[in-house]
Amino acid sequence: MDQQPRYTAYMPSAGIASFLRSPICEDFSKVEADVAVLGIPYDCGVGYRPGTRFGPREIRNQSTRYAPWGTGNAAGYWDVNQKKRFLADVSMVDCGDVDITYFDIDANMAKITASVRALVERGALPVVLGGDHSVTFPNVRAFEALGPIDIVHIDAHMDWREDIAGVRFTNASPLRRSKELPFVRHMVQLGIRDVRTRESDYNDATAQGVRIFTREDIREQGVKAVLESLPALGNTFVTIDIDGLDPSIAPGTGSPTVDGLLYHEVRALLQGVAARGHVVGFDLVEVNPFIDVEGQTSLLATTLIIEFLGAIFAARGR
């Protein structure tokens, strides 16, 4: 019997749904890859509509439509706009999920940091699938050894609350918590627009040197001008809240906010960040499959991750 691959890119409904059908390696000590994908099925930081704990699973499920890794097809992808192949020699593994402890915030934050740190120590670029946005703080904390770290944040919301009813680790506070880390240097927020944005949070963040570009700033100035206004970026962690995009194209999120960024704008911003800084890791959070429309948001998330990875490794000459 011919030894053909059991599953091909033409059968996304078959096989284990690892991210982009990449090989599975849940033993972090054995990771030998350029990119390590890690899920964080956690949404205990949400105060409105839960469900993002299922985000990593559904993003993986949708990603099987774009599955060059592990299928025998040509590696990477060919971009029809740039007439260029990306990620051709970039290896990837799917490291499964952080083993979340039942409603224990401190234990989960520690597990997340330890997991991401283990991947950093293996020399891989962590791609973290949330989960709600509270996971970004323990993600950033894992990069201390690479500091100083700059942060670029795409979102409708600043996520700068000091606390909610005394709880300091919610999805409304991860950027404030991250800026408190001594090794975090520059922070840039892109796409902010929510009418619930608090004046005190805005003033406090800007007083601490955070550069904030609203959705209107990006529309009026253009992506190129915004990118040229960024501070000099070094080792950079990028956090992408899917509600930074307009809910007409990304409806599956717990806090949809009208008049968001469009896909081509976010792609251009990420490409510019990859060219201007050394991206050492990123997360994509707040995808909620329970309120999505036929997987539309998870599919968009997959495409965004692929194209951002393409830009990151192109900037590294690969």
Side-chain angles (χ1 to χ4, degrees):
M1 184 175 179
D2 293 339
Q3 295 297 312
Q4 298 294 328
R6 294 181 62 197
Y7 309 115
T8 73
Y10 303 106
M11 290 292 291
S13 58
I16 297 173
S18 64
F19 188 75
L20 297 177
R21 288 281 174 79
S22 56
I24 296 171
C25 181
E26 295 185 284
D27 184 343
F28 298 164
S29 69
K30 295 181 179 178
V31 169
E32 294 183 4
D34 300 307
V35 176
V37 178
L38 180 68
I40 306 181
Y42 178 86
D43 60 11
C44 292
V46 170
Y48 184 34
R49 294 190 288 189
T52 57
R53 68 182 64 186
F54 292 96
R57 180 176 295 177
E58 186 58 22
I59 291 171
R60 287 182 172 109
N61 186 41
Q62 293 293 333
S63 79
T64 59
R65 294 187 62 192
Y66 307 109
W69 284 269
T71 64
N73 292 342
Y77 69 97
W78 186 75
D79 186 279
V80 67
N81 295 304
Q82 301 184 55
K83 310 299 187 292
K84 177 181 176 181
R85 180 165 291 280
F86 291 86
L87 304 175
D89 64 344
V90 174
S91 57
M92 182 185 304
V93 293
D94 190 323
C95 295
D97 294 333
V98 175
D99 188 14
I100 296 300
T101 300
Y102 210 51
F103 294 108
D104 188 329
I105 293 175
D106 292 338
N108 288 322
M109 295 286 145
K111 285 185 177 184
I112 292 167
T113 298
S115 297
V116 177
R117 182 186 293 128
L119 300 179
V120 173
E121 291 174 349
R122 295 297 298 173
L125 186 146
V127 174
V128 183
L129 311 177
D132 73 57
H133 214 158
S134 68
V135 306
T136 290
F137 168 67
N139 289 342
V140 171
R141 194 167 58 178
F143 290 86
E144 181 175 10
L146 301 184
I149 294 291
D150 300 320
I151 298 176
V152 175
H153 170 216
I154 294 176
D155 203 327
H157 314 94
M158 289 182 57
D159 293 351
W160 199 261
R161 294 285 295 271
E162 169 58 30
D163 65 83
I164 295 179
V167 180
R168 302 176 70 246
F169 299 99
T170 72
N171 69 344
S173 60
L175 276 300
R176 188 184 189 108
R177 295 286 85 81
S178 295
K179 192 66 171 67
E180 292 168 351
L181 294 169
F183 60 89
V184 170
R185 187 177 59 160
H186 300 307
M187 180 178 287
V188 178
Q189 299 190 327
L190 302 169
I192 307 302
R193 63 187 186 277
D194 188 42
V195 296
R196 297 173 299 166
T197 301
R198 304 195 312 176
E199 182 180 7
S200 59
D201 289 344
Y202 181 91
N203 291 339
D204 182 68
T206 54
Q208 295 190 45
V210 178
R211 297 290 305 279
I212 301 172
F213 295 86
T214 66
R215 198 279 175 263
E216 197 68 14
D217 291 333
I218 296 169
R219 177 184 289 115
E220 292 182 354
Q221 298 177 30
V223 169
K224 182 178 180 181
V226 168
L227 288 170
E228 290 174 349
S229 300
L230 297 185
L233 299 174
N235 285 340
T236 302
F237 183 86
V238 178
T239 178
I240 307 164
D241 188 324
I242 206 67
D243 71 29
L245 287 94
D246 193 80
S248 65
I249 58 173
T253 187
S255 297
T257 305
V258 299
D259 193 28
L261 296 168
L262 299 179
Y263 184 87
H264 71 276
E265 293 174 310
V266 175
R267 177 176 58 194
L269 288 167
L270 292 175
Q271 289 171 341
V273 169
R276 287 165 171 75
H278 180 72
V279 178
V280 293
F282 67 93
D283 63 28
L284 189 148
V285 300
E286 296 288 352
V287 172
N288 188 335
F290 288 169
I291 50 178
D292 201 4
V293 179
E294 297 182 350
Q296 176 180 334
T297 308
S298 297
L299 187 63
L300 181 150
T302 294
T303 310
L304 196 64
I305 291 169
I306 296 171
E307 295 198 284
F308 189 25
L309 283 172
I312 291 169
F313 284 92
R316 298 182 180 185
R318 298 181 59 185

